[in-house]
Structure formats: C-alpha cells, structure tokens
Amino acid sequence: MASGISLKELAAELKLAPSTVSRALNDSYEISEQTKKKVLSMAEKLNYHPNPFARSLRENKSKAIAVIIPERINTFFAQVIDGIEEITQEHGYHLLVYCTHEDVEKEKKIVNLLLNGRADAIVMSVSSQTSDISHLHKLYERGFPILFFDRICSEIPTTKFITNDYQVTLEATRHLIQQGCKRPAFLMLSEDISITKERHRGFLAALKEAGISHNPEFSKVCCQNEETNIEILKNLLIQENRPDGILASVEKLALACYQAVKKTDLKIPTDLKIISFSNMGIAGLLNPSLTTISQPAFSMGEECARILIKKLTKTNQPALANEVVVIPSKITIRASTMVE
Amino acid sequence: MASGISLKELAAELKLAPSTVSRALNDSYEISEQTKKKVLSMAEKLNYHPNPFARSLRENKSKAIAVIIPERINTFFAQVIDGIEEITQEHGYHLLVYCTHEDVEKEKKIVNLLLNGRADAIVMSVSSQTSDISHLHKLYERGFPILFFDRICSEIPTTKFITNDYQVTLEATRHLIQQGCKRPAFLMLSEDISITKERHRGFLAALKEAGISHNPEFSKVCCQNEETNIEILKNLLIQENRPDGILASVEKLALACYQAVKKTDLKIPTDLKIISFSNMGIAGLLNPSLTTISQPAFSMGEECARILIKKLTKTNQPALANEVVVIPSKITIRASTMVE
DNA sequence: CTGAAAGCGCTTACAG
DNA sequence: CTGAAAGCGCTTACAG
C-alpha cells in the first residue's frame, strides 16, 4: 500500500537524475545548497516518502529492533519497552515486539523468524522455561547483535543487564527476619533461570547469616497456571509447619499468595509476611499494601537501547561486549511486612 | 546483518534458475514435486531465509501491522495487543508497536512515519487529547487500512471496535444508586474522546431515571499528572457537598481516587463507593477490592486482527467497512460498592 | 515443467 | 556539482 510517489518520479518532476535527488535528500556534501533546497521543497510538496524496503534492501539494514518478552501484562516489561522506545525512536528505529507467553517453542519460532534480517538486533528477556538454547546460539554464531535483560542467558557471550538480585534479596530476607519471620519461604519461577538462582542464593545467604535452617519444600517451583499456583500455595500454608514469611521472585506469585491466603484463616502480615519483586504502581493499594523490590525497568530499557544504538549506528563497532551490567533495585517497605 | 545465503546462491548450488527455485519455495503449481523436494531440502540444509525486504519491495507489502496505543502500562492495551498478535502471527504478520503516551504530537509523528508503507495497516486507539485529526484523514485519503478500537475517531469512515459504553455505564450508575449513592460523580479523561462521551451519557441517563440532578462539577476532566489528579480529587472529596459515589472511566483515575481518599477521613465504601472501568486482574486484591467494568480486551484484539487479515490477504477486498462493532463489557461487583 | 529478463525503489561507486 | 549504471534479493509475466 506504499502508493506514494517514487524517487524516480520526484526526479523527473525536478528534471534531475535520481542519483542527484537521492543525494540531496540524504544531505550529501556533494550537492549544492540550491539544489538541496529545490529538492526538499518539491519532496515536501509532492509528499514524497522514501520506500523503507528499497532502502533496507540496498543498505542491508532494517532500522527495526526486535524486543522479545515473556509477557505483556507485566508492568516491568512494559516499562522496559517504554525505555527502549524512548531512545531508539530518536534514531529512527522501529520496535517489533513479540511475546512468548513463557513458551520456549514460541520463543524459538520467533527467533528463527528473525534470522532473515527483519530486525537489526534483538533485545530479549528469555522465556522462563528456556533450557535448550540452540536457537540463541544460532543467533550468536551469525554475529547477530543480541542483548539480554533481566532474564538473561549466561551461556551467550554478549551484554546483559540485570539487577543486583543477590544483594537485594539478601537485604529483603534480612528484613523479613528482622520483622520476626522464623520460617521464611522463597517462591521461584523456574530452576533454569539464572536470575532466579541469584535471588535464591541471596535468600539462602540471609538464612545462613541468621542461623535459620532452610526447608527446601518452601522454595517452590511454580507453573504458569494461576489456579494451580494458588492451590499449591494454599496447601503449603495450611500445613502445621507452614512458612511465616514469603519472598516472591515474581509479582504474579505474590498475588497468588494473596489469593491463597484468602482461602485460609491466616492474616497478612500477622501470620504471614510477604515481600515481592514487583514494578506495579499500585502495590501500595493492595490489601494489605505490598512491600516490594522494584527494578529500574525504564532506565534498564534506556541503557539497552543506548548500547544497541551505538553498536548499530557507528561503523566498525566490535561485537557487543561480554559483560553483565548490574543496576540496583529498590526495596519499598509497606504493610505486608510490618510488625503489628 | 542479513548475512545468509541468497536465492541466487541457493539456485547455483542446485544448478537451477533462481526463478525455478523461487517458485518451488513458494509451492507453485508449475513446479514438479521432485524439484520442490530437492529445493526444499537444500534450502533447509543451507539455512536459506528469504530476504523480507526484497520480497516487500517486490510485492509492495510489508507483512507488518502497526499498533498505536496511548500507554503500555495498562492491562487493557496489553491484552488487546496479545489478541492481535494471536491472530496475525498465524498469518505471518509482524507487529510494530508504538506508544503515544497520550501525546497528539507524538501520535502525528508516528502516523506520518507510517505513511511510507512500513506497515500494511494500522490498528489504533487514539491519544486522549486528539482533536486535530488531519494526520488520520491523510491516512484514510490514501486508502491506508486503518482500524480503531476503544478510543475511536468517529470522523474517519472505517471499522471501529468499541464496547457497550452507554449501556454498561447506565447499569453501573444504577448500581451505585441502588447501593445508596445520592450524589454520584463521574470522572472522565478528556472531553473530545467520543468513548468517554458515551460513558458520560449513560451516567446522565441513569441519574435522570432516578430523578437525581447532576452537579457538573462532579464530572471531572483530568490531566496526565498523577499527583495533580490526586490533589484535584482530594479537594473534591473534602468539600461539604462531596460526591458519595464515583464512576471512573479509566483505571488510573480510580487508583488516584484510592490515593486521594487516603488523604481524607473518608472510608470506601462507607462514605464513598467506587466503580471503575478496568482490566486489572488484581482489582480484587485492592483495599477494598474494586468493583470493575472490564472490557473484552483480548477478543477485541482478535476481532480487529481477523478483519484486518481478511482485508490484507484476500485480493480485491473493498475498503474496511464504515461500521462500529460493539462488544459488551462486564461488571464485576466487589467491596468498593458494597452496602455495609 | 524450467529459464531468461525485467523491475520493485533505493544508494553509491565511477565518470565527467 | 551532476548523471548513467549497476546492484541489493526477490517475483512474475513471457517464452519455450
């Protein structure tokens, strides 16, 4: 439907060669100011828009960046994308956004689709179940610029953005213990996600420090189905030796906890204290308000984008550095972890 | 970075003409089964991926659909996009997602950028402040397929998806009145959004029906700044003749109400009942849980996509019909509107 | 059933 | 400073 006028037609109208017009539009030093002005005004008048695909084909770049996330209905990811868009838009890049719904097969399909060059780079947070990473290796081997954030893939040597998960979880768990928790529980999403591992390490370190032995049954691997999660949690909470503090590594699980608690006689924070990783603006409006660890999502997106733009716009840039950039998260204490 | 092998190289490897290989890959009836098999297996072996831009240039279609929304951090829009992706992905379409942040100038820039054919169609929810719609007219005049959902632009004759705003607001307001509200207030986002108008009409109809006169001061036009909104609401709530029921046309404003109430001595639902348009899954976990009107976001996205796919994939399709498709919303009653 | 040729709309060496 | 020509990687009439 790109029904507009072409460069050739514009040139004919101006009685100039297409090459000259092209150079004038691209502000080449070879063209006189007078010609440039004439070309520009005529282009404006005739509503000329260069065909992006001809340009992409010729220059072998798409001017598009693919963003792959596990879910859209999640404030964190939405904020990251906002941050990416903020920076990339200034440089004329477009965002192709794909959602895996935590499904590795879908992730593979998307990644394979992008092998054809439709995007110049990929920014992604891997699907929670990702274990087979051959599709990511393929990208890397081809020299395709790829950058991870939050849910990173350690095996691929490229730039990764994460938060200070170990440290902040250590502090969060200390907070639970200070508030009187004797049997804190950690809820994680999936074992093969490195970021969750760090969070779990921080949790264990805090327990060790306080001389609390860890009940491995309290570290729950959860599934995608919300109902099932609530059921698992409810069963955990009604047993005699139930946890009295919960650290959720994902917002979804904290909310499932709230739901599960409703099905028991327990009260938050009296019987159970909860803290969760979450970027929801309304954590403070929950009942009771939720103590959160929020990640610097927007600036993380911006940083990803800046590095990418540098790589994509400057010539002879080396491959993306194999480094892990750590940005600190922030703990906001609210009612769900208050001592009565 | 589309560094892969080209059709020409693949053809050379097969000792066939590029045209034959192209036809074989596209499963043309002109090619023998044997040749097709040979070509397909070699393409697989050499990891051939057709260049999307060459194809787009040749066929004059992008295989991309642009989605323009006012904000990303909003469950409703996220769900709609999920729905659009669900359908379009099956047909090989990619989603370019743009966020206007409720800024008309940004919306104009994005729309003008899309005039070059980078996307085959646009699905959009207009920015709240949209009043000058020349940029949308331009699209329409060029025959560019454009489809509106939720925040529609009535002046452009194309297919629009909305919810039964008048009817559901009428019912929601009746509910407030039944629950004892004598001075219900309606909160709207902006006057020039047609969808908000319908909601306001439904509200007024319910008041009339109940013989309640409307205090226009209670129909608030709110701004983008959260702090300011909270301040406006607080001031509204501390006056003597304050509203005793609130119908928020946007989730954001209901949350601002919760915040504003915290700054007063009022209690929800005792002193003030609140109902809001919202697709948040966690409305039930707010304090108190929030009565909501939720829109069928996912299926709305799916429906948009189906119509678009039909238009884009079948030849000789007429322009998108100038019709308004209405999908019903659902009221979920929770604590925020309960009689004590 | 297969192939040679033209062309989609750009950009950029190469000439002058 | 401007222009003619080639080519990016496809597809599709047109031949045979």
Side-chain angles (χ1 to χ4, degrees):
Chain A
M1 275 291 166
S3 45
I5 177 183
S6 74
L7 182 70
K8 208 169 134 193
E9 294 168 298
L10 176 60
E13 199 68 37
L14 284 156
K15 297 197 199 316
L16 282 171
S19 45
T20 305
V21 175
S22 169
R23 277 185 276 242
L25 289 169
N26 292 318
D27 201 24
S28 157
Y29 69 97
E30 296 175 287
I31 305 295
S32 72
E33 280 310 314
Q34 203 194 343
T35 306
K36 280 184 190 170
K37 260 187 207 156
K38 228 177 0 188
V39 169
L40 249 31
S41 87
M42 183 62 88
E44 174 89 359
K45 186 181 154 199
L46 300 184
N47 239 302
Y48 169 75
H49 296 278
N51 182 308
F53 305 118
R55 190 175 270 174
S56 286
L57 179 59
R58 182 56 223 252
E59 301 197 317
N60 199 26
K61 46 187 164 187
S62 68
K63 278 284 186 177
I65 292 171
V67 181
I68 306 178
I69 53 169
E71 48 174 2
R72 279 203 179 82
I73 308 176
N74 181 316
T75 312
F76 172 72
F77 292 116
Q79 286 173 333
V80 171
I81 300 180
D82 274 350
I84 296 174
E85 190 179 53
E86 182 79 12
I87 302 296
T88 55
Q89 211 160 56
E90 289 169 23
H91 296 267
Y93 282 83
H94 297 252
L95 254 37
L96 286 162
V97 184
Y98 303 86
C99 175
T100 65
H101 299 282
E102 305 279 13
D103 177 348
V104 203
E105 288 312 311
K106 212 158 206 165
E107 182 178 295
K108 281 186 191 176
K109 264 185 210 156
I110 294 165
V111 165
N112 286 330
L113 230 47
L114 291 170
L115 240 30
N116 64 12
R118 186 175 279 273
D120 293 332
I122 296 180
V123 184
M124 78 185 284
S125 208
V126 301
S127 159
S128 62
Q129 309 151 343
T130 301
S131 41
D132 170 15
I133 55 162
S134 56
H135 56 300
L136 303 178
H137 263 302
K138 211 190 291 177
L139 283 176
Y140 175 70
E141 278 162 18
R142 304 228 183 156
F144 198 101
I146 176 165
L147 204 149
F148 296 100
F149 70 92
D150 192 47
R151 312 249 207 107
I152 65 176
C153 180
S154 318
E155 289 88 339
I156 310 289
T158 183
T159 307
K160 294 141 197 160
F161 283 87
I162 54 170
T163 42
N164 61 341
D165 280 332
Y166 176 85
Q167 185 59 32
V168 85
T169 316
L170 177 75
E171 288 168 23
T173 313
R174 278 180 186 158
H175 170 65
L176 283 177
I177 295 168
Q178 273 164 12
Q179 299 299 97
C181 294
K182 304 263 183 267
R183 302 180 301 279
F186 185 87
L187 290 152
M188 61 177 168
L189 191 69
S190 165
E191 276 179 331
D192 47 38
I193 293 292
S194 56
I195 200 164
T196 305
K197 266 192 210 145
E198 284 307 297
R199 292 178 184 180
H200 201 225
R201 272 204 331 117
F203 173 69
L204 295 178
L207 292 195
K208 194 171 177 189
E209 188 180 85
I212 297 175
S213 69
H214 178 49
N215 181 345
E217 209 210 318
F218 286 177
S219 285
K220 283 283 168 188
V221 176
C222 288
C223 70
Q224 287 174 240
N225 182 290
E226 196 191 349
E227 295 308 318
T228 316
N229 283 335
I230 294 176
E231 199 55 27
I232 293 174
L233 289 166
K234 198 197 92 184
N235 291 333
L236 181 69
L237 292 174
I238 56 177
Q239 57 183 54
E240 201 177 339
N241 195 32
R242 61 165 181 79
D244 59 0
I246 281 182
L247 198 165
S249 75
V250 239
E251 172 178 303
K252 236 195 266 184
L253 292 178
L255 300 174
C257 280
Y258 270 59
Q259 303 279 15
V261 167
K262 278 191 177 181
K263 302 191 170 195
T264 70
D265 295 328
L266 304 176
K267 288 271 171 277
I268 307 170
T270 322
D271 310 304
L272 181 71
K273 296 184 175 50
I274 300 186
I275 182 169
S276 176
F277 279 85
S278 171
N279 275 56
M280 289 187 306
I282 58 163
L285 294 173
L286 294 183
N287 183 17
S289 62
L290 175 67
T291 295
T292 55
I293 303 167
S294 60
Q295 299 174 271
F298 189 82
S299 55
M300 199 178 232
E302 284 185 317
E303 272 314 300
C304 283
R306 283 200 192 98
I307 291 203
L308 222 44
I309 290 295
K310 191 177 158 198
K311 161 77 178 157
L312 296 177
T313 55
K314 298 198 177 167
T315 47
N316 289 326
Q317 282 295 110
L320 290 167
N322 181 18
E323 63 173 332
V324 179
V325 182
V326 181
I327 312 186
S329 290
K330 193 181 140 200
I331 298 180
T332 306
I333 296 172
R334 298 201 182 84
S336 68
T337 58
M338 293 291 195
V339 182
E340 291 293 277
Chain B
M1 274 292 167
S3 43
I5 177 183
S6 75
L7 181 70
K8 207 170 137 193
E9 293 168 299
L10 176 59
E13 200 67 38
L14 284 157
K15 297 200 201 312
L16 282 170
S19 45
T20 305
V21 176
S22 169
R23 277 185 278 244
L25 290 170
N26 292 318
D27 201 24
S28 160
Y29 69 98
E30 296 176 286
I31 305 293
S32 73
E33 279 311 314
Q34 203 193 343
T35 306
K36 278 183 191 172
K37 261 187 207 155
K38 231 180 354 190
V39 169
L40 248 31
S41 87
M42 182 61 88
E44 174 91 0
K45 188 181 153 199
L46 299 184
N47 238 304
Y48 169 73
H49 296 276
N51 182 309
F53 304 118
R55 190 173 269 176
S56 286
L57 179 58
R58 181 56 223 250
E59 302 197 315
N60 199 26
K61 46 187 163 188
S62 68
K63 278 283 184 179
I65 291 170
V67 181
I68 306 178
I69 53 169
E71 47 175 0
R72 278 203 179 81
I73 307 175
N74 180 316
T75 311
F76 172 73
F77 293 116
Q79 287 172 334
V80 171
I81 300 180
D82 274 350
I84 296 174
E85 190 179 54
E86 183 79 12
I87 302 295
T88 53
Q89 209 159 58
E90 290 169 24
H91 295 268
Y93 281 83
H94 298 252
L95 253 38
L96 286 162
V97 184
Y98 303 86
C99 176
T100 64
H101 299 282
E102 306 279 13
D103 177 348
V104 204
E105 288 312 311
K106 213 160 205 164
E107 181 179 293
K108 282 187 191 176
K109 265 186 209 155
I110 294 164
V111 165
N112 286 329
L113 231 45
L114 291 170
L115 241 27
N116 63 12
R118 184 175 281 271
D120 293 333
I122 296 180
V123 184
M124 78 185 284
S125 208
V126 302
S127 159
S128 64
Q129 310 152 342
T130 301
S131 43
D132 170 15
I133 55 162
S134 55
H135 55 301
L136 303 178
H137 262 302
K138 213 191 288 176
L139 284 176
Y140 175 71
E141 278 162 19
R142 303 226 184 159
F144 198 101
I146 174 165
L147 204 149
F148 296 99
F149 70 93
D150 192 49
R151 310 248 207 109
I152 67 176
C153 180
S154 319
E155 290 88 339
I156 310 288
T158 183
T159 307
K160 294 140 196 161
F161 283 88
I162 55 170
T163 42
N164 61 341
D165 280 331
Y166 175 84
Q167 185 60 32
V168 85
T169 315
L170 178 74
E171 288 167 25
T173 312
R174 279 179 186 157
H175 169 66
L176 284 177
I177 295 169
Q178 272 163 15
Q179 297 302 95
C181 293
K182 305 264 183 266
R183 300 180 303 278
F186 184 87
L187 289 154
M188 61 178 169
L189 191 69
S190 167
E191 275 179 333
D192 48 39
I193 293 292
S194 55
I195 200 164
T196 304
K197 267 192 210 147
E198 283 307 297
R199 293 178 185 178
H200 201 226
R201 273 205 330 121
F203 172 71
L204 294 179
L207 292 196
K208 195 171 176 187
E209 187 180 84
I212 297 175
S213 69
H214 178 50
N215 181 345
E217 209 210 317
F218 286 177
S219 285
K220 281 285 168 187
V221 176
C222 288
C223 71
Q224 288 172 238
N225 183 291
E226 197 191 349
E227 294 308 318
T228 315
N229 283 334
I230 294 176
E231 199 55 27
I232 293 175
L233 289 165
K234 200 198 91 185
N235 290 334
L236 181 68
L237 292 173
I238 55 178
Q239 56 184 54
E240 201 175 339
N241 194 32
R242 61 163 180 82
D244 59 359
I246 282 182
L247 198 165
S249 75
V250 239
E251 171 179 304
K252 235 194 267 182
L253 291 178
L255 299 173
C257 279
Y258 270 59
Q259 303 279 17
V261 167
K262 278 192 177 177
K263 302 194 168 190
T264 69
D265 295 329
L266 305 175
K267 288 272 170 276
I268 308 170
T270 323
D271 309 305
L272 181 72
K273 298 187 173 49
I274 300 186
I275 182 168
S276 176
F277 278 85
S278 171
N279 275 54
M280 289 188 305
I282 58 163
L285 295 172
L286 294 183
N287 183 17
S289 62
L290 175 67
T291 295
T292 54
I293 303 167
S294 60
Q295 299 174 271
F298 189 82
S299 55
M300 200 177 231
E302 284 185 316
E303 272 313 301
C304 283
R306 284 200 192 96
I307 291 202
L308 222 43
I309 291 296
K310 191 175 156 199
K311 161 77 178 160
L312 295 178
T313 55
K314 300 198 177 168
T315 46
N316 287 328
Q317 283 297 108
L320 291 167
N322 180 18
E323 63 175 331
V324 178
V325 182
V326 180
I327 312 184
S329 291
K330 194 182 139 202
I331 298 181
T332 305
I333 296 173
R334 298 201 183 82
S336 67
T337 58
M338 295 288 194
V339 182
E340 290 295 275

